[in-house]
Every structure is written in structure tokens, then in C-alpha cells.
Amino acid sequence: MTGVSRIAAGLGLAAALVTGAMTPVTAQDTIKVGVLHSLSGTMAISETTLKDTMLFLIDQQNKKGGLLGKQLEAVVVDPASDWPLFAEKARELIEVNGVAAVFGCWTSVSRKSVLPVFKELNSILFYPVQYEGEESERNVFYTGAAPNQQAIPAVDYLMNEEGVERWVLAGTDYVYPQTTNKILEQYLKDKGVAAEDIMINYTPFGHSDWQTIVSDIKAFGSTGKKTAVVSTINGDANVPFYKELANQGIKAEDIPVVAFSVGEEELAGFDTGPLVGHLAAWNYFQSVETPENEKFIADWQAFTNNPERVTNDPMEAHVIGFNLWVQAVEKAGTTDTDAVLKAIIGLETPNLTGGIAKMLPNHHITKPVLIGEIQADGQFEVVSEIPDVPGDAWSDFLPESKVIEADWTDPINCGNYNTETKTCGAAQ
């Protein structure tokens, strides 16, 4: 199925399920759950599946009897890869539709756009994608990876296992790649990498003309030192990027690429032959062999009525976030935001890789770190695994962040607590 047909099918699935959820019960008899993912625009290639995932999880929960004696009702909106529109749609979900919680966003710029809305209206966002860290908000739960759960271990793997000495940090031009690369640049320099052995490049969302940049990468890697690309390129720009690598004959054994935003869903639209051997760092892969994952894949493909439908890491993050939210609501006996925020800290739920995800006081979770090698069938072979890494909201590798902690429990109750000055919200 092409990316366009997957999106069209997903839109049809959303309409059918949202309509179906409304049929047997009146609105006041349901608990509404907001779904805030781009179904059009440059990020639809990645986000449409997350919308479908939420419909799947809500359908499963309803079959178990719902929550607090009520059925769950998905309220789906399309912010259309338009960052200011994310804030408008978030406000619509909370103020107009009265959702109990929202599951959504992919890019950090979309998350940053909605933060003021969730703070003002005191609602809850579950954010399912790896991000740059340097943030911990009272109203947000970060179920994707922080840099210490993805970016840093990926660099360590390339350095220690592949002998990489020169580094291309290539990203889309927005906050996640910029901040992640700031952390990685400092980390590499701390490891003794010279400034001239680090090349940093940013391109706009949806960038399509990669010929010159890939040529520059090829030249940068021709000095005799082992070179790798650390990619924070997001969305549909990945398709022409990898095609151009193949066009210029750059193979994984020559200049490996490790990607932080390319998973099974993105690869479903690729000719993966030229990509074999390149890498991705995530906390979950569809190829992981556990009973939990096998059941999840089977249930997902049955729900979508598509035996070829893939799974990916941000989907698992939504599974974890949704299950923790359900537990917290049951524990609190209410969907009230303040009660759920208090109840969720310390709760645990199985992940799909055979471990346990725990919600930490900093609103991040414990996750395994997996490095996967792209296979010809669009799946990943896991080549490295680190279990149970706690998410770190503030990087230990930036001097201004090293002294900052996040802890949303008493007595600190702060997302940026300065451990030296013992103050909350101090300027960083």
C-alpha cells in the first residue's frame, strides 16, 4: 500500500470508528479521548498510523468494558502538519469537545505549539515520539525516548562497534534536530572528536533536492576516517534522502546512516534494497520476538483488516501511554486532570519488548534502547540492546542542564529544579 493510500484508508477508518463510537450511546455517556495527529501534509506519512493506533486502543478498551463504567469515544482532528493549527485543534479538543486527555503530536515544534494550551486549560497530553529533552511539563507525559534513550546510545554504538571517527549530523530545521545535535556535538567533543570532524546540516521540512548535500557528505567521508551520518531528518523528506544516497553509491558499509525518525511505517514506502545495512535507533521494532509483541501485531493487523500493516516505535509509545492513563484513571476513580497527574507517577505497564515501562516523577518512562539494521523486507534486525534506561529530561552533557532536575512529586513539584540553587524555574 502506498503512503497516499495508507493515509486515505486511515481517514476512512477514523470516520467509521468515530461514527461507530457515537452510535450506541449519547455523548454524555462516554469519556472522550482526543487524537491530535497530522492526517495531511508532510508529517502524514508518520502520524496517520498513530491516529489509527489510538482508534485501535480505544476499540480494545471498549471491548473490555470501557473505563469507569463508560465507553471511550475517539475525537479525531487533523492539524495538517501546520504547527500553529496544532494549538487551535488542541484547544478545540479540550474546550469544545471536552476530552479527558489528548494523545498526539510528532514534531517538537507541534508539541511546543500546544504546550501553552494544555497549561492554560489544565489538560493532559501524551506525547509518543523521541524528542530532544530539555523539557518537563506538568501537563505532558513523554512516552517517546529522551536523548539518553536513543541519540547517545546510537552514537556510542557507532563509535565503539563501527569505529566511526567523523560525524555528519543531518537534520530537519527545527527544534528537535537542533537541540539533539547540540547535545551530540558536545558529547562528541567530550569524547575527543575534533570540531573539523563534525559536519552539521539542516534542511526544511519536505526537502526534496538532496544531490548537493549527499555529495558533500560523500566528500566529507572520503578522508580515510570512518564516517557516519546521524539523521534527525523527519517526515517525507527521508524518501528522497535515502534515494539520493543510493544514487551516489553510498552504501552502509562505507558511510552508515543511523536514523532517529525512520521506522517500519516510513520504510513501507521505500525500495529498501539500497538501504540494507543502514541503522535506526528506537526502543521497539516490529521484529522483536516476544509473546506480547506477537499478540499486538496480530490484533493490530486484524483491526486494520490488513495482514501487511506494520507496527513501529511511536505506536508502542501510544500503547504504553494509553495503558498508563487507563490505570491512572482507574486508580483515581476519575478523569479529573489533577487526580490523574497524581495517580500516574510510579505506575507500571508491560512494554512490547518483554520489559516494564514505569512512569517516572519527571514524566518520562523507562525504556530499552535498540539499534536495528535495515533488512531487505523493510524490517530491522536488532544488533544492540540496552534494557531499562530511565528517561532523563535534562541532558547531563550540557553544562547549563547538568544541574537541572525534573520531579513532579512533593516536595519539589517542578520541571526545572536547580539542584545547586534549590530553586524552581531558574533561568537556564
Side-chain angles (χ1 to χ4, degrees):
M1 189 180 284
T2 66
V4 172
S5 58
R6 283 201 308 277
I7 292 166
L11 282 166
L13 182 61
L17 280 168
V18 174
T19 304
M22 289 293 290
T23 302
V25 288
T26 57
Q28 61 264 33
D29 291 328
T30 65
I31 295 173
K32 294 183 179 181
V33 179
V35 182
L36 183 66
H37 282 301
S38 295
L39 310 180
S40 56
T42 189
M43 292 308 302
I45 186 176
S46 298
E47 292 194 66
T48 300
T49 282
L50 296 188
K51 175 267 300 174
D52 290 344
T53 302
M54 289 309 304
L55 299 178
F56 166 60
L57 293 171
I58 288 167
D59 180 67
Q60 282 196 319
Q61 188 64 32
N62 284 338
K63 287 175 179 175
K64 296 175 187 175
L67 185 59
L68 302 182
K70 298 182 178 183
Q71 291 283 283
L72 299 177
E73 175 191 341
V75 183
V76 177
V77 294
D78 178 17
S81 306
D82 180 335
W83 318 132
L85 189 57
F86 268 86
E88 293 180 31
K89 290 297 184 181
R91 185 174 293 277
E92 176 185 317
L93 286 171
I94 300 163
E95 284 191 324
V96 178
N97 295 290
V99 299
V102 176
F103 293 78
C105 300
W106 180 292
T107 67
S108 284
V109 66
S110 65
R111 188 191 72 257
K112 295 283 190 185
S113 174
V114 304
L115 287 183
V117 178
F118 283 89
K119 291 165 75 171
E120 176 196 341
L121 302 179
N122 195 30
S123 189
I124 298 173
L125 171 68
F126 284 85
Y127 176 65
V129 185
Q130 89 291 343
Y131 86 119
E132 69 280 1
E134 307 306 291
E135 179 182 300
S136 178
E137 293 285 345
R138 177 180 180 271
N139 297 86
V140 181
F141 293 102
Y142 307 82
T143 55
N148 73 304
Q149 296 173 307
Q150 185 188 38
I152 296 296
V155 165
D156 284 342
Y157 176 83
L158 289 171
M159 190 177 286
N160 298 330
E161 303 300 325
E162 302 268 352
V164 172
E165 297 178 282
R166 300 201 97 195
W167 303 84
V168 179
L169 308 182
T172 303
D173 193 10
Y174 74 106
V175 62
Y176 162 60
Q178 291 164 353
T179 307
T180 299
N181 287 340
K182 180 181 177 183
I183 293 168
L184 289 180
E185 183 181 16
Q186 186 60 55
Y187 183 71
L188 290 170
K189 288 178 178 178
D190 290 347
K191 290 284 187 178
V193 177
E196 59 267 26
D197 287 329
I198 302 172
M199 169 183 166
I200 302 175
N201 178 267
Y202 295 108
T203 45
F205 279 100
H207 189 69
S208 59
D209 183 5
W210 288 93
Q211 188 172 351
T212 300
I213 294 169
V214 170
S215 178
D216 290 344
I217 291 171
K218 191 173 184 179
F220 187 77
S222 66
T223 64
K225 291 183 177 180
K226 181 69 175 181
T227 302
V229 176
V230 179
S231 171
T232 47
I233 299 165
N234 258 266
D236 54 9
N238 278 293
V239 178
F241 170 63
Y242 280 99
K243 282 184 178 178
E244 187 59 34
L245 288 175
N247 288 344
Q248 297 199 27
I250 296 178
K251 298 179 180 178
E253 55 264 36
D254 304 323
I255 302 178
V257 177
V258 60
F260 300 159
S261 295
V262 174
E264 293 86 346
E265 183 71 9
E266 289 77 16
L267 291 180
F270 284 20
D271 170 13
T272 53
L275 278 67
V276 170
H278 288 298
L279 304 164
W282 290 103
N283 312 102
Y284 163 88
F285 289 113
Q286 180 176 330
S287 57
V288 170
E289 295 180 359
T290 64
E292 297 90 347
N293 193 34
E294 289 176 12
K295 183 179 187 306
F296 174 70
I297 294 168
D299 290 347
W300 165 247
Q301 292 176 344
F303 174 79
T304 58
N305 196 28
N306 182 356
E308 302 301 317
R309 196 73 184 265
V310 297
T311 62
N312 64 23
D313 178 286
M315 288 176 64
E316 191 218 22
H318 262 340
V319 171
I320 290 168
F322 181 79
N323 289 339
L324 288 171
W325 175 73
V326 167
Q327 280 191 53
V329 170
E330 290 174 338
K331 180 181 175 182
T334 176
T335 59
D336 174 74
T337 293
D338 292 340
V340 171
L341 290 176
K342 185 174 181 180
I344 200 170
I345 302 300
L347 293 183
E348 298 180 347
T349 189
N351 60 31
L352 298 178
T353 57
I356 297 294
K358 180 178 181 178
M359 182 57 69
L360 304 171
N362 64 7
H363 286 193
H364 294 64
I365 63 173
T366 53
K367 300 175 81 75
V369 182
L370 308 177
I371 310 294
E373 189 176 278
I374 298 173
Q375 305 298 294
D377 62 357
Q379 292 294 314
F380 292 86
E381 179 183 346
V382 177
V383 296
S384 175
E385 179 174 359
I386 306 170
D388 300 328
V389 179
D392 190 358
W394 297 92
S395 176
D396 293 337
F397 306 108
L398 296 179
E400 64 271 26
S401 299
K402 192 179 296 187
V403 298
I404 307 298
E405 282 186 7
D407 186 338
W408 289 106
T409 61
D410 291 331
I412 292 176
N413 253 317
C414 177
N416 55 346
Y417 180 76
N418 190 309
T419 57
E420 291 184 345
T421 64
K422 309 296 184 186
T423 55
C424 178
Q428 285 97 52

